[in-house]
Amino acid sequence: MNKKISVGLCLSLIIISITATFAATMVISKQIYNGIISNISQRSQTYESVDEISKIVSNYYFGTIDDGSRLNGALTEGYVNGLGDPNSKYLNSDEYADYTAKLDGGVTGIGIETAYDYSKADFVITYVYPDSPAEKAGLKAGDVIASVNDGIVSRYNYQTLAKYFTGDRLTSVQLKYERGGETRSAEVMLGFSVPGVRGYLKENVGYIRINGFYKNTAADFKALMTKLREQGAESMIFDVRGTSEGTVEYAAKVIDVIVPAISGNIAVAKDKNGNIYKEKVFTAENSNIMMPFVVLANSYTAGPAELFACDLRDICQAQIIGTKTAGVGTMQELFALEDGGAVLLTVAVIEPKNGESAVYEGIGIEPTTEVALNYGDEMGFELLTEENDNQLSAAFKLLAS
């Protein structure tokens, strides 16, 4: 039997339903509102602090205030530095152009590698690339650089002066250097494209030094690997001591030159929520070079070079000789800004072949055989001869056995 309700009761039920819905909506809205207000409050506090400083500067600063571009750059840099992440940074327009040019084409310059010998206070040329302007100008490994563009070299400025050794064509750098007690001069043109790798063969062991993981590194690496194997290399040493530049993507391409196609991935980028970041999944499918490998690493081996060492260990059973790596296991992405600069921001953590259990961010990679240098600090390996470089000697000895 159907029961009828009065119009008044029906209206009452509708009003109760609307009231309940409104109350629930208000609770949710209040939570969202409070979150927004909290965020706005934080932003407002930041803006108020900047505005307060701006008024103080405008009223009392003795010097001349620029047009704002330098201040804006400094504010942006300060904001990024405030994250407390050494791998995130602000790049001004010139730095942004240099950074992208290096990634896309590798390093250009006069064609030398250098290191500072703190024990002797000498700025030493450690390697001269064949057919480079430096070689044509007569520079040799072991030469001690005394001045660069009339700037006298010291332990405090050698890194700044070394920047003159890289750059584009149609410019040159003036050097004074010492060899055998004699001071010499040279004017060397820039613009030489420095290979991403260099190496040689010793008996049946190949040696490859990787300076950075740039766009051209994989092609250079593959060509040198092919050359050394054709010359009779039966095992390989890969030296990534002090190597930190480049990207994870380009490191994965170098790894792909060596390792066999595997089920799974050689690396995955995960965002802060544990999700794959922008489909950044790196696989290996091109090659399969079967021979013993040794990777030389130290505490300055960082970022893409750590992925290289980790994956070769886990996929190819490569031995890692040296000391524990830096523990930079994150991926950075460039975000262009309206002022012509960019922010290089850490956006993901890298999971290598063995997944989360093998993540080395903040931890580093332990060597399978720990060998500390007998001479100098860890960045001083470039100053050592092969005989004095006990890490390199240990690698040759292991492969020879």
Side-chain angles (χ1 to χ4, degrees):
M1 182 176 65
N2 294 330
K3 293 184 178 180
K4 296 181 180 180
I5 60 175
S6 67
V7 174
L9 179 59
C10 180
L11 289 174
S12 298
L13 291 174
I14 292 173
I15 292 171
I16 292 171
S17 176
I18 292 173
T19 303
T21 302
F22 178 76
T25 302
M26 285 300 296
V27 171
I28 296 171
S29 298
K30 185 178 180 181
Q31 293 174 346
I32 297 173
Y33 177 78
N34 288 340
I36 293 173
I37 288 299
S38 175
N39 191 25
I40 290 175
S41 176
Q42 292 170 6
R43 291 181 182 179
S44 178
Q45 185 177 0
T46 300
Y47 297 152
E48 287 175 2
S49 297
V50 173
D51 185 57
E52 184 180 12
I53 293 171
S54 178
K55 289 177 181 177
I56 293 172
V57 170
S58 297
N59 290 329
Y60 301 106
Y61 180 54
F62 179 78
T64 302
I65 302 173
D66 72 355
D67 60 2
S69 59
R70 185 154 55 96
L71 285 173
N72 289 338
L75 284 170
T76 307
E77 183 176 11
Y79 189 100
V80 178
N81 290 343
L83 298 174
D85 175 19
N87 302 303
S88 294
K89 60 188 70 176
Y90 166 73
L91 306 175
N92 62 36
S93 57
D94 291 337
E95 292 169 336
Y96 179 29
D98 290 343
Y99 182 85
T100 53
K102 180 181 284 189
L103 284 183
D104 290 341
V107 178
T108 58
I110 64 174
I112 62 173
E113 294 180 14
T114 58
Y116 194 83
D117 188 343
Y118 286 92
S119 65
K120 299 179 180 179
D122 287 341
F123 189 29
V124 183
I125 297 176
T126 57
Y127 186 80
V128 179
Y129 284 88
D131 300 321
S132 67
E135 185 184 60
K136 294 174 182 177
L139 297 175
K140 296 182 178 180
D143 290 343
V144 177
I145 301 172
S147 70
V148 181
N149 288 345
D150 295 327
I152 305 301
V153 174
S154 73
R155 66 188 301 162
Y156 305 107
N157 69 359
Y158 77 92
Q159 291 176 316
T160 300
L161 294 177
K163 294 179 181 179
Y164 288 112
F165 302 151
T166 60
D168 299 327
R169 298 183 185 278
L170 305 179
T171 56
S172 62
V173 59
Q174 301 283 342
L175 295 179
K176 287 186 179 180
Y177 62 97
E178 298 174 359
R179 182 190 300 165
E182 179 184 354
T183 300
R184 308 185 183 193
S185 299
E187 180 177 359
V188 191
M189 296 297 296
L190 290 97
F192 175 74
S193 294
V194 178
V197 299
R198 59 177 173 85
Y200 59 88
L201 182 71
K202 180 181 178 181
E203 297 178 355
N204 63 343
V205 179
Y207 168 87
I208 294 180
R209 166 73 185 156
I210 303 176
N211 296 313
F213 293 90
Y214 312 119
K215 187 176 182 178
N216 65 333
T217 302
D220 291 342
F221 182 82
K222 184 175 182 178
L224 184 53
M225 281 285 292
T226 300
K227 178 181 177 181
L228 293 175
R229 293 177 71 195
E230 289 174 349
Q231 292 176 347
E234 297 177 1
S235 57
M236 299 294 303
I237 298 171
F238 303 122
D239 193 345
V240 290
R241 291 176 294 178
T243 302
S244 61
E245 292 191 340
T247 69
V248 169
E249 178 181 3
Y250 293 143
K253 291 182 182 296
V254 176
I255 295 167
D256 194 19
V257 173
I258 307 170
V259 303
I262 59 173
S263 59
N265 311 301
I266 59 175
V268 178
K270 295 286 189 69
D271 66 18
K272 60 185 177 183
N273 297 316
N275 300 318
I276 295 176
Y277 181 78
K278 293 186 177 180
E279 300 182 356
K280 294 294 184 180
V281 176
F282 306 101
T283 59
E285 52 193 30
N286 288 330
S287 303
N288 186 8
I289 299 176
M290 301 293 293
M291 61 170 59
F293 298 133
V294 168
V295 179
L296 294 177
N298 63 14
S299 62
Y300 294 95
T301 300
E306 288 182 277
L307 175 63
F308 177 84
C310 185
D311 271 354
L312 260 64
R313 178 197 64 190
D314 294 342
I315 300 173
C316 302
Q317 290 74 55
Q319 299 295 302
I320 301 176
I321 291 179
T323 56
K324 188 177 181 179
T325 64
V328 181
T330 53
M331 184 178 77
Q332 286 68 41
E333 183 175 345
L334 274 173
F335 296 88
L337 302 176
E338 292 183 359
D339 67 356
V343 172
L344 184 66
L345 190 68
T346 296
V347 295
V349 69
I350 295 301
E351 289 187 1
K353 162 65 171 60
N354 285 347
E356 187 176 351
S357 62
V359 168
Y360 45 86
E361 163 61 15
I363 300 172
I365 300 169
E366 296 283 355
T368 51
T369 302
E370 185 170 4
V371 179
L373 285 178
N374 288 337
Y375 303 96
D377 62 20
E378 292 224 298
M379 284 303 288
F381 72 93
E382 295 175 304
L383 296 164
L384 302 175
T385 63
E386 184 179 310
E387 291 73 22
N388 291 332
D389 187 345
N390 54 305
Q391 292 174 337
L392 181 57
S393 297
F396 275 119
K397 183 177 180 181
L398 175 64
L399 293 176
S401 63

